[in-house]
Amino acid sequence: MKKLLTLIIPPVVLLITASIVFANMTYESYLPLVLDGGVYYDTPTPSATVTPTATRTPKPPTETPTPTPTVIVAEGGNSCAYILGAGKSADGGTGIGALVPSVCSYLVPYQVQQDGTLLVVKAERIKTDTWGCEEGDFGPGVTWPPTDYDCPPPPKEELFDEFGRILWGDLDLITLPNTYKIVCGYCEECGPPYTVNCVEVVR
């Protein structure tokens, strides 16, 4: 009996010790353990802890804005502008619509008078075949090279036909940051008082 206990106790002690040791181990990944009979069990297997390396996302390069081409003003070109209307713009400035002598004419501020309440605008002609006045900028119905209509414009009832089509010059729009009460169209070719017409700014 004593020999039997001597043979049994060491394996029991070994099993208890092994159970305590394995119970205190921690694992981070698992691999299958194949036992006899082909039965698979998941059993913990120790693995090394990998600390991820922090990476920085590179800052994208600053985009260089495309510069706006410079408008080249022609040596000639008529200056008259017939004001069709003016009103307060969405951003608090003044929007102006006018007829100008050519498809290559555009509105520009000319003078501010009466303590800043009256604005005079005129037309300037862009040089033909430069940026803003190239044949590809317009539809097939535009005669090329463009020609300027004579100044001054005809009376208002002769500016449009019965269908609202423009009979003289071309329409141009401009928005300015300041507010005005009256806007007038300038006409250098017309002689004193050098204005075509004036309108009140609609609020």
Side-chain angles (χ1 to χ4, degrees), residues 9-196:
I9 290 175
V12 172
V13 173
L14 182 61
L15 284 173
I16 293 171
T17 306
S19 298
I20 293 170
V21 171
F22 284 116
N24 292 326
M25 293 181 68
T26 57
Y27 303 96
E28 296 182 7
S29 63
Y30 299 87
L31 292 175
L33 173 67
V34 181
L35 297 181
D36 292 339
V39 181
Y40 288 81
Y41 295 89
D42 286 336
T43 183
T45 303
S47 66
T49 302
V50 179
T51 303
T53 304
T55 58
R56 287 182 162 222
T57 303
K59 184 179 178 181
T62 303
E63 292 186 7
T64 304
T66 304
T68 302
T70 302
V71 172
I72 301 174
V73 178
E75 292 76 14
N78 293 329
S79 67
C80 58
Y82 187 97
I83 309 299
L84 297 175
K88 184 178 179 180
S89 62
D91 58 0
T94 305
I96 304 164
L99 291 180
V100 290
S102 165
V103 295
C104 286
S105 299
Y106 68 112
L107 279 178
V108 294
Y110 177 62
Q111 286 181 354
V112 177
Q113 300 175 3
Q114 297 180 6
D115 296 328
T117 61
L118 185 146
L119 171 68
V120 180
V121 296
K122 70 173 186 174
E124 282 198 350
R125 176 68 149 76
I126 304 172
K127 187 176 181 180
T128 304
D129 295 327
T130 63
W131 185 83
C133 184
E134 297 177 280
E135 187 173 5
D137 298 333
F138 308 99
V142 175
T143 303
W144 202 261
T147 56
D148 286 22
Y149 284 75
D150 292 332
C151 290
K156 185 176 182 179
E157 60 272 10
E158 299 177 22
L159 293 174
F160 302 92
D161 66 12
E162 59 183 341
F163 302 105
R165 291 174 297 201
I166 298 172
L167 297 175
W168 180 93
D170 190 53
L171 176 66
D172 194 35
L173 305 171
I174 185 174
T175 301
L176 301 172
N178 299 325
T179 57
Y180 307 94
K181 289 184 178 180
I182 298 173
V183 176
C184 298
Y186 178 75
C187 180
E188 185 177 342
E189 300 83 6
C190 301
Y194 300 105
T195 53
V196 179

